[in-house]
Amino acid sequence: MRKVVMNKHNNLLQLEEHFYQLVDVDEPNTFRNLFPYEEIPKIAFNDRIVPHNMPDDIWITDTTFRDGQQSRAPYTTDQIVTIYDYLHKLGGPKGIIRQSEFFLYSKKDRDAVYKCMERGYKFPEVTSWIRASKQDFELVKDIGLRETGILVSCSDYHIFYKMKMTRREAMNHYLSVIRECLETGISPRCHLEDITRSDIYGFVIPFCVELMKLMDEYKIPIKVRACDTMGYGVNFPGAVIPRSVPGIIYGLTTHAGVPSELIEWHGHNDFYKAVTNSTTAWLYGACGVNCSLFGIGERTGNTPLEAMVFEYAQLKGTLDGMDTTVITDLVDYFEKDLDYTLPSRTPFAGKNFNVTRAGIHADGLLKNEEIYNIFDTEKFLKRPALVSISNTSGLAGIAHWINSYYRLPQERHLDKNSELVHKLKDWVDEQYDEGRVTVLTDNELVVKITECCKELGIIL
Ligand SMILES: CC(C)C(=O)C(=O)O
């Protein structure tokens, strides 16, 4: 079959014989050159450069209640509904957080779905994740959902070792399940598990070509979720597939003909690349990136949803109505109600993400907050830039701590010449001279400041 490939401006990119046939190998291709197992995985380059192709509309989808919940104690129904409310508010009226996926396994799972649907929000749309069986497709339909996720693992690790099938058998099996889903009138979202260890041209593209044929036949959208299950994806220009995120997205759009709006990237953070890989997927043609709140997900976690909110704003130059302050409300909710404390250095969310310690930095912060703060964190996250007090804080750091902790208006700001600041600095130095090795807590500082204020006859 001949295949004409155009870009979005209708220019002819390629005219080629369409020969992406399934390569039905006898032995699994485990890409031992890239994944030797007894050695650290390798990143190889062929220097093939893929063009940027960011869709005009990009969005975030959420897996807090699916991949997220898989890796922690289950949320109660009320907790799910509360988090769902927050996601709705965070995503804003344009629904930048477009969908959220839910298990349907137990009555409790289904109750949560009903309660979230009762909210009547357009966004995030409630979608499901099920065992791929006729009975479950009927369940999805009965509940009133439009789309469901189906597992279609695509690497030979899964096909040969887990499913004990050949590629042909796996593909036929997946296609018959997807056909069954379409027969029920439900739109399938195909989770291509372990895509970054799969044979892209020998399995993934031929399979997706078949999916696109089914989509044509049934006139029901079929989504392709590219799952970087083990976090092996890389975004470096010229890296080889299957590790290359640009290469995978290019293959899906250009060779399998999957439209951008039907492609999602699902990343994991095993090599610290979940965020950049997701941004890369956007840049090279996927409309959706699938994320979980605070990155809570299997092992090292998924792409943190809050990070992609800020990636979105940086790429698009606008938040498009997203309310970023909700991120701080969610942090408080997770800490107070779910007893989940985020690592203190977690970007945008951890206790210390915008806390400066060293005296010399605090001095800069005091002169102009922009020197050591990433953006107006008070405006966007209700989190003013802070300095914490330790042996390296210096007078400026102490002055800044008092100004921000007591929220003193600009005209009452203390500077490093203030008597109170000097008194406190003497006390802080004493603490560390006596061998203290930890940072001073807010409470300790407040007690000491109250005492000093009394002595000096000052009211803050
Ligand atoms: C189970 C699959 C779909 C997944 O979440 C992943 O690949 O990370």
Side-chain angles (χ1 to χ4, degrees):
M1 199 212 314
R2 298 198 95 190
K3 187 179 181 208
V4 181
V5 182
M6 317 286 270
N7 70 10
K8 60 184 174 185
H9 308 295
N10 262 354
N11 300 322
L12 189 67
L13 289 180
Q14 305 176 18
L15 182 62
E16 58 187 27
E17 290 304 308
H18 183 192
F19 45 58
Y20 298 115
Q21 305 285 341
L22 180 87
V23 181
D24 197 19
V25 292
D26 291 331
E27 296 297 321
N29 181 355
T30 51
F31 294 93
R32 278 288 165 241
N33 55 335
L34 302 177
F35 307 110
Y37 201 61
E38 280 84 21
E39 292 170 36
I40 307 303
K42 319 228 180 268
I43 301 169
F45 291 85
N46 58 9
D47 289 324
R48 286 198 192 147
I49 303 301
V50 175
H52 276 179
N53 181 26
M54 191 170 93
D56 291 339
D57 278 335
I58 53 172
W59 54 78
I60 294 167
T61 62
D62 170 65
T63 189
T64 298
F65 309 124
R66 203 274 297 167
D67 209 324
Q69 223 181 168
Q70 248 165 249
S71 72
R72 48 152 288 140
Y75 299 114
T76 65
T77 303
D78 283 350
Q79 288 166 347
I80 290 180
V81 178
T82 304
I83 296 170
Y84 179 71
D85 281 342
Y86 280 128
L87 287 171
H88 167 71
K89 197 167 167 221
L90 172 57
K94 293 190 183 167
I96 307 301
I97 303 178
R98 188 118 333 168
Q99 293 182 313
S100 182
E101 78 201 64
F102 290 69
F103 290 123
L104 296 185
Y105 296 146
S106 66
K107 180 175 170 320
K108 190 186 134 273
D109 296 330
R110 293 190 289 272
D111 282 349
V113 167
Y114 286 124
K115 287 234 159 76
C116 290
M117 288 175 78
E118 270 165 26
R119 292 297 213 243
Y121 302 144
K122 184 167 178 209
F123 302 116
E125 176 189 352
V126 174
T127 88
S128 63
W129 167 261
I130 52 163
R131 286 169 285 248
S133 69
K134 176 115 188 93
Q135 206 186 354
D136 276 16
F137 296 137
E138 292 295 344
L139 179 67
V140 174
K141 194 176 177 180
D142 291 347
I143 293 179
L145 300 178
R146 191 182 60 81
E147 176 184 306
T148 191
I150 299 174
L151 187 62
V152 287
S153 312
C154 60
S155 73
D156 286 349
Y157 288 83
H158 286 253
I159 294 172
F160 281 76
Y161 299 145
K162 196 170 86 181
M163 299 166 64
K164 311 271 183 221
M165 285 183 178
T166 62
R167 288 183 184 177
R168 170 83 52 207
E169 286 165 346
M171 176 146 138
N172 288 344
H173 168 64
Y174 296 152
L175 290 173
S176 74
V177 168
I178 289 156
R179 193 177 273 283
E180 204 162 36
C181 179
L182 292 163
E183 284 289 335
T184 325
I186 300 293
S187 180
R189 186 180 61 246
C190 303
H191 292 222
L192 286 139
E193 188 181 21
D194 209 18
I195 200 165
T196 45
R197 275 194 300 187
S198 69
D199 185 342
I200 301 294
Y201 286 95
F203 185 82
V204 170
I205 306 262
F207 174 53
C208 289
V209 166
E210 293 307 314
L211 291 180
M212 294 302 101
K213 287 187 197 157
L214 279 179
M215 182 158 89
D216 264 3
E217 186 182 332
Y218 282 87
K219 310 283 178 246
I220 295 178
I222 300 182
K223 272 194 195 150
V224 169
R225 184 181 287 182
C227 298
D228 182 15
T229 306
M230 306 306 293
Y232 289 129
V234 294
N235 71 333
F236 310 120
V240 299
I241 50 171
R243 297 195 69 179
S244 162
V245 180
I248 293 172
I249 305 295
Y250 181 82
L252 292 175
T253 52
T254 307
H255 298 305
V258 185
S260 287
E261 56 276 17
L262 297 178
I263 303 177
E264 273 181 76
W265 180 261
H266 169 97
H268 278 269
N269 204 31
D270 299 71
F271 290 88
Y272 277 115
K273 290 190 168 62
V275 172
T276 34
N277 283 342
S278 299
T279 314
T280 302
W282 270 340
L283 278 173
Y284 288 87
C287 282
V289 293
N290 184 243
C291 307
S292 88
L293 270 173
F294 308 125
I296 299 170
E298 289 286 13
R299 301 183 315 282
T300 54
N302 297 101
T303 308
L305 183 141
E306 67 284 2
M308 296 317 290
V309 166
F310 291 104
E311 291 289 276
Y312 181 100
Q314 291 182 84
L315 285 178
K316 299 276 289 180
T318 166
L319 280 164
D320 261 336
M322 285 188 282
D323 180 355
T324 49
T325 63
V326 175
I327 294 168
T328 303
D329 299 336
L330 275 159
V331 172
D332 292 345
Y333 180 69
F334 270 66
E335 294 201 348
K336 294 196 186 101
D337 291 68
L338 305 183
D339 203 21
Y340 180 86
T341 305
L342 285 155
S344 62
R345 290 187 173 80
T346 308
F348 314 116
K351 186 166 178 284
N352 291 334
F353 92 84
N354 62 347
V355 177
T356 283
R357 272 164 210 247
I360 183 138
H361 288 190
D363 195 34
L365 202 68
L366 190 67
K367 288 184 177 122
N368 184 331
E369 181 182 302
E370 288 182 43
I371 298 172
Y372 283 111
N373 202 19
I374 51 172
F375 51 69
D376 187 343
T377 52
E378 172 146 40
K379 173 173 171 191
F380 291 107
L381 290 162
K382 300 187 280 196
R383 299 270 306 267
L386 293 177
V387 288
S388 74
I389 306 298
S390 71
N391 55 329
T392 59
S393 297
L395 290 164
I398 292 173
H400 189 277
W401 191 93
I402 299 173
N403 292 335
S404 41
Y405 188 88
Y406 289 91
R407 294 188 161 250
L408 297 181
Q410 191 67 41
E411 65 280 6
R412 290 182 49 219
H413 269 191
L414 305 181
D415 65 20
K416 50 187 177 186
N417 301 317
S418 139
E419 217 177 335
L420 173 62
V421 171
H422 275 266
K423 224 170 160 40
L424 203 66
K425 166 91 169 88
D426 292 343
W427 174 77
V428 170
D429 288 347
E430 250 169 61
Q431 303 300 302
Y432 289 98
D433 288 347
E434 283 164 16
R436 180 174 181 132
V437 285
T438 52
V439 165
L440 287 155
T441 65
D442 292 356
N443 206 26
E444 283 175 286
L445 286 162
V446 169
V447 171
K448 190 65 198 171
I449 290 168
T450 314
E451 191 186 305
C452 294
C453 283
K454 261 195 205 141
E455 277 170 35
L456 297 168
I458 299 175
I459 299 174
L460 281 179

